[in-house]
Every structure is written in C-alpha cells, then in structure tokens.
Amino acid sequence: MNVIIIEDEKPAARRLSRMLSELAVNVTKMLHSVEESIAWFSTNEHPDLIFLDIQLSDGLSFEIFDKLEVKSAIIFTTAYDEYALQAFKLNSIDYLLKPIDDEDLEKAVKKYQDFAPKKDQISIDFNDIKKLLVNPLEREFKKRFTAKVGQHLKIINADEVECFFSENKGTYAATTDGRNYLLDTTLENLENEISPKQFFRVSRKFYVNIDHIKDIISYTNSRLQIKMNSFKEQEIIVSRERVKDFKLWLE
C-alpha cells in the first residue's frame, strides 16, 4: 500500500506517520503545502491512499485537485468540526478529527483495507465538497435541550449553555447559573446539532460557547486556557492541534 500524508504542520505529519507505522502502514512521502503537492503529483505516480489535511498554510487542499486529477483514495484529517462532514463520508473512505486518536486511525485504515478500491474506480466530487466548506449548508441548529432533574424535565436554552463537556462517560451542559445538567447525548452527536458559529470543540472533552468566554490565557506547550463566566470546576484547555483553528473561529 502506497501512502502519503499532506499536512502543513510538520510535527503533526510526523506523529501521524509514526502512528501509521505502528499499524504496519508505511508512509512514502509527506507534503506540506498546496504548491509542493501540485509539483509532486505532476511528476510522481499517485499513491493508493492520501491522508489529506483540509487547511494548508497556502490554502485549502482542494486547490490541488483544481490543477490536476488525482485517482487516490482519501482519508481527510481536520480540526474543523463545524464543516459539513457528512460530505466526506459520502465522497471518501473516512475522515479523522484532530487530534487523531489511535483507535479512530486504526478503524479508518481497516475500512480502507476492507474496501480496497481500484484507482480507476475512485470518483470524488471535490467541487461539491469545496462548496460545502466555503458556503456551509444553511440549516437549523438546536435551540433547546432537555435534562432530567428528579421527576422533572429541565428545558435548557442553547444560549444559556457556557460549555458542553464529557465526564465519566456522561455528557453535560454547564449553564450560566453555575449548574451542570446531564444530557442524553454525546459530544459526537452534538457536532451536528449545535451552531458552529456559537460553539467550538476545543478538545475531545469540551465545546465552548463564544458568548460566555471571559478570558483566554497562554498556556504550556503552545496551548490556550479558557476562562468561562461561571464554569470553574475544571480547566478548559485548547489542545495544541486546535489552537490555530480556534483563533480563526474567534474572528
């Protein structure tokens, strides 16, 4: 299996390469920009599988495919939870959210190996996916949630949620009144239910509401710490892999 990685952050590319080697998958090339990728694809045999970061330092990676036709299977890697990820499921082998988890990576590789498409059978509509990324589909997001409190159902408005977080296999909504409510859902399910303009997944454990961020502080290892107006029970840290995307989201 001939595999390459297209990822602008070199430490992240090296980490992914190491993770793949532990799965007995050999990475033959790592590319780091749109320009470098176009030059490489123009003069080399295309690989069986590409691990493709969406946002590269010099533009969206889809610009590569505006210039040339690539007949490779693709596993997208992205920190952008707010993108219309269902498009990737329809058009590619899989997608992986950063920071990439060992188990998720193993499942994606196995999915590819089981599917094993021939290059002349791969058809990915990059234009359709790009449209979804640049102009995400307008859709209604949940404005209210319910939580069971004793024998009662508590109605929680999305605007009142400072953050969603996971703890002990449960998913909670922390509200502006300083209370935490257990929800009958998961952070993964929330991905398609809450507005990406209002909420951002800063780590595997937390979504934060931009309207209730009190302070943002530099933290160790190039990370950021977030202080909310009311929620003070745990530290909320933006994982290093998501710092760049978090800063873009703030704008």
Side-chain angles (χ1 to χ4, degrees):
M1 182 167 55
N2 185 9
V3 176
I4 72 167
I5 294 172
I6 303 178
E7 161 68 66
D8 65 332
E9 296 182 0
K10 293 183 180 180
R14 290 193 294 268
R15 175 176 179 269
L16 178 55
S17 180
R18 288 194 300 271
M19 292 171 71
L20 286 167
S21 68
E22 292 174 2
L23 298 174
V25 175
N26 182 43
V27 175
T28 57
K29 184 69 177 178
M30 288 188 284
L31 303 169
H32 306 293
S33 69
V34 172
E35 183 179 1
E36 181 185 11
S37 299
I38 291 172
W40 187 88
F41 277 105
S42 299
T43 56
N44 290 273
E45 181 181 354
H46 295 188
D48 301 307
L49 177 62
I50 303 170
F51 284 85
L52 178 67
D53 188 15
I54 293 169
Q55 182 71 55
L56 301 175
S57 57
D58 56 346
L60 286 176
S61 57
F62 299 110
E63 294 173 26
I64 299 167
F65 309 103
D66 290 338
K67 301 294 185 182
L68 44 85
E69 183 178 10
V70 175
K71 287 293 185 179
S72 303
I74 291 176
I75 294 177
F76 292 98
T77 63
T78 177
Y80 287 88
D81 296 29
E82 68 269 30
Y83 279 167
L85 294 176
Q86 66 270 21
F88 305 153
K89 284 187 175 180
L90 293 173
N91 288 275
S92 70
I93 299 301
D94 213 337
Y95 69 89
L96 296 167
L97 290 176
K98 297 179 181 178
I100 296 172
D101 178 78
D102 290 327
E103 185 177 344
D104 292 340
L105 178 61
E106 185 174 2
K107 287 179 181 177
V109 170
K110 187 177 187 304
K111 185 177 177 182
Y112 167 78
Q113 291 171 334
D114 290 344
F115 181 48
K118 295 181 180 179
K119 291 184 181 180
D120 59 359
Q121 295 176 343
I122 297 173
S123 178
I124 300 177
D125 195 332
F126 291 102
N127 286 328
D128 278 356
I129 298 177
K130 189 175 180 180
K131 288 175 185 175
L132 288 173
L133 299 184
V134 177
N135 299 300
L137 293 174
E138 291 294 330
R139 67 179 190 270
E140 285 292 319
F141 295 100
K142 290 189 72 168
K143 295 181 173 61
R144 290 177 296 278
F145 299 85
T146 58
K148 190 174 182 181
V149 182
Q151 298 300 312
H152 303 271
L153 281 180
K154 167 73 173 177
I155 299 173
I156 306 167
N157 292 323
D159 291 342
E160 298 172 354
V161 177
E162 289 199 346
C163 63
F164 295 101
F165 66 97
S166 61
E167 185 175 54
N168 297 326
K169 298 184 179 180
T171 299
Y172 295 83
T175 56
T176 54
D177 60 1
R179 298 191 62 181
N180 301 328
Y181 295 94
L182 178 63
L183 304 178
D184 186 19
T185 187
T186 64
L187 291 186
E188 284 67 31
N189 289 338
L190 284 173
E191 176 186 315
N192 294 316
E193 296 178 345
I194 55 180
S195 169
K197 293 181 180 179
Q198 186 176 21
F199 293 94
F200 185 89
R201 191 169 186 176
V202 297
S203 66
R204 290 197 170 273
K205 190 172 181 179
F206 280 97
Y207 273 103
V208 297
N209 186 336
I210 193 169
D211 296 325
H212 299 296
I213 294 175
K214 181 179 180 180
D215 198 6
I216 304 171
I217 306 165
S218 295
Y219 200 70
T220 58
N221 296 325
S222 302
R223 296 176 295 171
L224 297 171
Q225 181 180 24
I226 299 176
K227 299 287 188 180
M228 309 303 293
N229 289 324
S230 298
F231 183 82
K232 297 180 175 64
E233 295 182 18
Q234 301 179 40
E235 282 188 330
I236 302 178
I237 307 299
V238 184
S239 61
R240 185 170 58 181
E241 295 85 353
R242 301 189 183 193
V243 166
K244 181 174 71 172
D245 302 326
F246 176 70
K247 289 179 179 178
L248 290 172
W249 175 72
L250 291 175
E251 300 174 357

